[in-house]
């Protein structure tokens, strides 16, 4: 704009508008973190008022008045987490960061859910994917355990949250049902809260539709029912796979904390709301907190999920988190703090299979879920999408079956072969159906290889591999009248299973390589669980289908499997620490599939602990681990000291002025159930560990599978226990014996066995040049 052509008064007006716009744009929401409160674990109403007043005073000293501070602050975390969230301009945020009481200042960042809608771009699953008969020797199915879920809320009417047969809510529960209008809790779904102020600080004022904990996208209902959903008989997915659905801990009590919100531009979970969810869950009294979300890879002191989790663990709550969906590349794993349980995702022994049979009788095995089926063994004309392209459409658009790319005259009554990529898988089928096609074969390109997904299509469909797709294309081009038919069936007992999901994020842990992450893998592909009836099946705007149960995939789905198992163990062993529970889950895991061969990756290569951690979870064995590697808050604080945290950084995690860092503690000495060494050179490295007997008296002998190029010795190599809860120390010495001049990742195993139990720990070593 050329101001010199405008009258002076109008120029002044525009300058004022620009100045105001600039000031507004500069304002963002921040979280000002002050560490822990001094009022202890059970604050009174006066304690809470004083804590909030302290927040007003602090911000008011920078803004010039407490009134201005009250207007800016939208969350005062005044119970367990000492912090406040406020809308501030950058200069104020920088000034307040210099205040002597302020430990750190964080932007209110948006995080994401770790689910991959298998019909769009990601993968999500849920049905407590571990078979019913493999779990239920465990006591009372998790009865009396309270599982909390930070997510997009809950659909309370779901049968998975029926309270039929439940007794009174435990008196120790301090939560409430704050779900909004037309929302009811019961003796199963005992608590609900929603937090949207962080979301509103980014998007602007919200209308009344956001004043609810009701789930509108299905993710929160799916994850919570996976963790603690009740038994529901007669469940099917669009007419496929009839059976009983249940969560990992089906008789547990559950609570939902809605911290994720959907808009026209996508989903978002803002850190200020997530921190409010942590604060509420701790205060309400949950035993387990399931967190199927995450942000970027961050140092623990900058990671508010890690900080919120630390406060929860301090209060005896086991926190279970998704590893992320950024695999299969190395170094992508998220939520890597040692006080969390970090969960990767793998398959189960069930497939929603769709077979393609060509006119020359060749058969190809794909995957799909559809309520519409073609008549059995009836052949239909087969056509490539490229050969059915409409006028004024590029070949690329047609091959991908994009909207408007197909000619109905060429498609009508035929099965169309579309290429995977760019637009969603379900949309491709919709395009074919709209053009009059009777079915779709969805072929992978070379990039996707054998990565298949059972998407809920609009018409009969089969998703096939790249190799099989090439065969289908060749068949079409080699015959004048190509034909095919398709059949759909649910198959059980598939071997090998599990297989690591390609999307599951991999180690090593780039924040702290001495802590192997992920910790464990669990079912996370095509998992059946409850769904929101407010959400369409595919989330596409023209999809009017709704369902009470659906398949999803992702580490969002595997995380609540472990949360449910934690609930079972908490019922059996209510006095066990979060670390002891994690140890039981990790040290009893298996690294073999159901064909007794090593667990594989999707690429049919042997998987390793960077993908699955300690292995695939075994719930019954976790209930009787023999020994556990236990940890206390003091251990975690010493670990942070050993990482070089200064006094200011330590205030993020403790306000205990009596705590003094141990000078002899090394990061590798954290009593973790796995062993990870980042840089083993010529010098021997000694690692300390301690185990506690949680079984009967016995003698355990060390068995070692040394990583290639590494010698491993254990001292002592025999541990004799005479009573329960007795603890024994031992040392593991690693020596490099390889002279290779290339960097290598090598893996081994340490097992303590008394003839009944096998207490197994993976060993991961990076051999550098």
């Amino acid at each position: 704009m050329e101001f010199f052509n405008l009258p002076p008064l109008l120029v002044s007006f525009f300058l004022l508008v620009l100045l105001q716009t600039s000031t507004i744009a500069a304002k963002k929401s921040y979280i000002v973190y002050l560490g822990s409160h001094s009022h202890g674990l059970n604050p009174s109403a006066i304690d809470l008022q004083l804590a909030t007043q302290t927040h007003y005073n602090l911000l008011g000293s920078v803004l010039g008045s407490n009134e201005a501070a009250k207007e800016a602050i939208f969350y005062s975390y005044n119970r367990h987490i000492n912090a406040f969230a406020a809308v501030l301009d950058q200069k104020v945020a920088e000034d307040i960061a210099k205040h002597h009481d302020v430990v750190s200042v964080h932007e209110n960042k948006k995080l994401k859910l770790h689910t991959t809608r298998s019909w769009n771009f990601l993968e999500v699953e849920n049905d407590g994917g571990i078979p019913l008969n493999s779990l239920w020797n465990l006591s009372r199915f998790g009865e009396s355990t309270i599982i909390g879920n930070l997510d997009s809320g809950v659909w309370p009417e779901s049968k998975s949250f029926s309270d039929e047969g439940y007794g009174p809510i435990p008196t120790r529960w301090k939560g409430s049902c704050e779900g909004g209008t037309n929302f009811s809790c019961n003796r199963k779904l005992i608590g609900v809260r929603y937090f949207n102020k962080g979301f509103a600080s980014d998007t602007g004022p919200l209308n009344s539709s956001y004043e609810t904990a009701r789930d509108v996208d299905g993710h929160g209902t799916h994850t919570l029912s996976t963790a603690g959903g009740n038994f529901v008989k007669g469940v099917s997915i669009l007419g496929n796979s009839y059976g009983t659905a249940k969560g990992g801990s089906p008789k547990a009590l559950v609570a939902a904390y809605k911290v994720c919100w959907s808009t026209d531009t996508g989903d978002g979970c803002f850190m200020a709301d997530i921190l409010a969810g942590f604060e509420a869950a701790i205060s309400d009294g949950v035993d387990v907190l399931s967190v199927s979300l995450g942000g970027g890879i961050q140092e623990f002191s900058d990671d508010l999920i890690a900080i919120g989790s630390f406060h929860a663990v301090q209060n005896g709550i086991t926190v279970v988190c998704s590893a992320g969906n950024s695999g299969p590349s190395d170094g992508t794993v998220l939520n890597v703090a040692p006080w969390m349980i970090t969960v990767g995702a793998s398959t189960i022994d069930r497939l929603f299979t769709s077979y393609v049979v060509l006119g020359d009788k060749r058969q190809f095995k794909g995957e799909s879920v559809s309520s519409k089926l073609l008549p059995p063994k009836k052949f239909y004309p087969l056509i490539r999408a490229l050969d059915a392209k409409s006028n004024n459409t590029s070949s690329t658009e047609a091959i991908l079956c994009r909207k408007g790319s197909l000619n109905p005259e060429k498609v009508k009554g035929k099965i169309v072969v579309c290429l995977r990529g760019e637009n969603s898988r379900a949309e491709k089928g919709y395009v074919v159906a709209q053009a009059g096609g009777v079915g779709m074969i969805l072929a992978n390109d070379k990039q996707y290889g054998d990565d298949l997904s059972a998407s809920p299509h609009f018409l009969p469909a089969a998703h096939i591999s790249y190799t099989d797709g090439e065969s289908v294309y060749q068949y079409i081009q080699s015959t004048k009248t190509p034909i095919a038919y398709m059949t759909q069936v649910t198959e059980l007992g598939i071997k090998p299973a599990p297989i690591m999901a390609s999307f599951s994020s991999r180690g090593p842990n780039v924040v702290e390589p001495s802590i192997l992450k992920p910790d464990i893998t669990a079912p996370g592909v095509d998992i059946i669980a409850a769904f929101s009836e407010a959400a369409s099946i595919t989330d596409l705007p023209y999809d009017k289908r709704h369902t009470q149960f659906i398949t999803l995939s992702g580490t969002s789905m595997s995380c609540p499997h472990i949360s449910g198992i934690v609930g079972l163990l908490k019922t059996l062993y209510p006095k066990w620490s979060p670390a002891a529970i994690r140890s039981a889950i990790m040290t009893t895991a298996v690294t073999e599939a159901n064909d007794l061969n090593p667990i594989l990756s999707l690429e049919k290569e042997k998987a390793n602990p960077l993908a699955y951690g300690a292995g695939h979870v075994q719930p019954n064995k976790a209930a009787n681990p023999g020994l556990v590697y236990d940890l206390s808050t003091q251990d975690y604080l010493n670990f942070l000291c050993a990482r070089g945290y200064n006094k200011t950084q330590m205030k993020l995690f403790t306000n205990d002025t009596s705590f003094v860092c141990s000078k002899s503690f090394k990061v590798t000495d954290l009593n973790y159930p796995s062993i990870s060494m980042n840089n083993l050179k010529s010098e021997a490295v000694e690692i300390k560990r301690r185990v506690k007997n949680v079984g009967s008296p016995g003698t355990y002998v060390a068995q070692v599978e040394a990583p290639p190029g590494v010698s491993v010795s254990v001292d002592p190599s025999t541990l004799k226990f005479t009573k329960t809860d007795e603890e024994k120390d031992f040392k593991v010495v690693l020596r490099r014996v390889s002279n290779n001049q290339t960097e290598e990742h090598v893996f081994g195993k340490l097992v303590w066995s008394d003839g009944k139990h096998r207490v197994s720990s993976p060993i991961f070593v990076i051999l550098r040049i």
Side-chain angles (χ1 to χ4, degrees), residues 442-589:
L442 177 62
N444 278 348
D445 62 11
K446 194 170 185 178
Q447 170 191 348
Y448 291 108
D450 295 332
D451 184 17
L452 306 181
S453 178
S455 302
H457 288 286
F458 292 91
L459 79 175
H463 183 186
I464 61 175
S465 69
Y466 167 69
T467 302
D468 291 346
E470 288 294 291
S471 297
V472 171
Y473 283 127
Q474 290 168 6
Y475 164 73
I476 293 173
Q477 292 177 293
S478 67
T479 182
K480 291 183 180 179
T481 56
I483 55 175
Y485 72 80
M486 295 189 296
T487 58
Q488 186 173 298
V489 63
T490 301
E491 296 184 318
L492 303 176
I494 297 296
K495 293 184 179 181
I499 294 173
M500 289 307 304
S502 180
F503 60 78
S504 186
S505 291
R506 265 60 167 183
N509 179 348
V510 298
V511 178
E512 179 46 69
S514 68
I515 302 297
L516 178 63
K517 292 285 183 172
D519 293 311
I520 195 77
T521 188
V525 178
D526 290 337
I527 301 299
I528 299 172
F531 201 60
S532 169
E533 294 183 50
S536 71
I537 288 179
T538 62
D539 204 30
L540 294 169
Y542 41 80
D543 189 358
K544 305 305 179 184
R545 298 175 298 169
H546 298 271
T547 183
Q548 295 180 356
F549 288 83
I550 197 65
T551 61
L552 294 177
S553 302
T555 54
S556 275
M557 286 54 255
S558 58
C559 168
H561 277 81
I562 298 298
S563 302
I565 293 166
V566 170
L568 295 173
L569 296 178
K570 194 70 177 178
T571 299
L572 287 171
Y573 308 108
K575 294 183 179 180
W576 275 15
S577 69
I581 289 173
R582 174 181 54 207
S583 176
I585 289 170
M586 290 178 64
T587 60
T588 57

Side-chain angles (χ1 to χ4, degrees), residues 230-511:
N230 207 341
F231 295 94
V232 182
K233 295 181 179 179
V235 169
S236 71
I237 306 301
L238 300 178
N240 300 274
S241 190
Y242 283 92
T244 298
K246 85 290 176 201
S249 191
K251 287 301 180 182
L253 308 174
V254 296
Y257 300 89
K258 183 176 175 67
V259 297
C260 299
W261 301 87
S262 298
T263 67
D264 293 338
T265 57
D267 300 330
C269 318
F270 283 85
M271 197 61 242
D273 297 328
I274 294 169
L275 209 59
F278 270 109
E279 173 94 332
I282 296 168
S283 299
D284 290 347
V286 303
D287 299 304
V288 188
L289 194 52
S290 195
V291 185
S292 289
L293 47 84
I297 298 172
Q298 295 177 295
E299 175 57 46
F300 306 132
S301 57
D302 299 321
D303 184 350
L304 289 177
I305 287 187
I307 292 170
S309 297
F310 189 91
H311 283 280
V313 170
Q314 271 187 314
N315 284 271
I317 300 168
T318 303
V319 180
V320 186
C321 296
S322 300
N325 294 343
S326 299
S329 300
D330 284 353
T332 53
V333 63
L334 303 175
N335 295 324
V336 294
W339 44 86
M340 303 169 170
I341 302 178
T342 309
V343 189
S346 41
T347 66
I348 58 175
D349 63 350
R350 178 191 62 219
L351 284 179
F352 297 104
T353 304
S354 186
Y355 287 100
V356 175
V357 180
L358 303 180
D360 61 7
K361 298 185 179 179
R362 279 185 293 170
Q363 178 176 282
F364 303 102
K365 185 176 182 178
E367 294 184 32
S368 177
V369 176
S370 175
S371 57
K372 297 179 180 179
L373 301 177
L374 293 176
K377 297 185 178 182
K378 180 179 179 180
F379 284 99
Y380 289 86
L382 183 63
I383 188 170
R384 299 186 306 169
L386 177 62
D387 299 327
K389 90 178 187 67
S390 60
N391 296 330
N392 302 318
T393 296
S394 70
S395 297
T396 300
E397 293 279 298
I399 289 170
L400 293 168
C401 295
R402 284 192 168 278
K403 288 182 181 178
S405 66
L406 302 181
N407 184 337
E409 293 181 1
K410 297 179 180 180
V411 168
K412 187 175 181 180
K414 298 176 182 177
I415 296 172
V416 181
V417 185
C418 302
L419 186 68
R420 178 180 176 180
E422 296 192 19
N423 58 326
S424 77
R425 286 161 277 193
E427 181 179 273
K428 296 174 191 291
Y430 181 79
V431 170
V432 172
Q434 289 295 101
V438 297
M440 176 184 69
I441 297 173
L442 177 62
N444 278 348
D445 62 11
K446 194 170 185 178
Q447 170 191 348
Y448 291 108
D450 295 332
D451 184 17
L452 306 181
S453 178
S455 302
H457 288 286
F458 292 91
L459 79 175
H463 183 186
I464 61 175
S465 69
Y466 167 69
T467 302
D468 291 346
E470 288 294 291
S471 297
V472 171
Y473 283 127
Q474 290 168 6
Y475 164 73
I476 293 173
Q477 292 177 293
S478 67
T479 182
K480 291 183 180 179
T481 56
I483 55 175
Y485 72 80
M486 295 189 296
T487 58
Q488 186 173 298
V489 63
T490 301
E491 296 184 318
L492 303 176
I494 297 296
K495 293 184 179 181
I499 294 173
M500 289 307 304
S502 180
F503 60 78
S504 186
S505 291
R506 265 60 167 183
N509 179 348
V510 298
V511 178

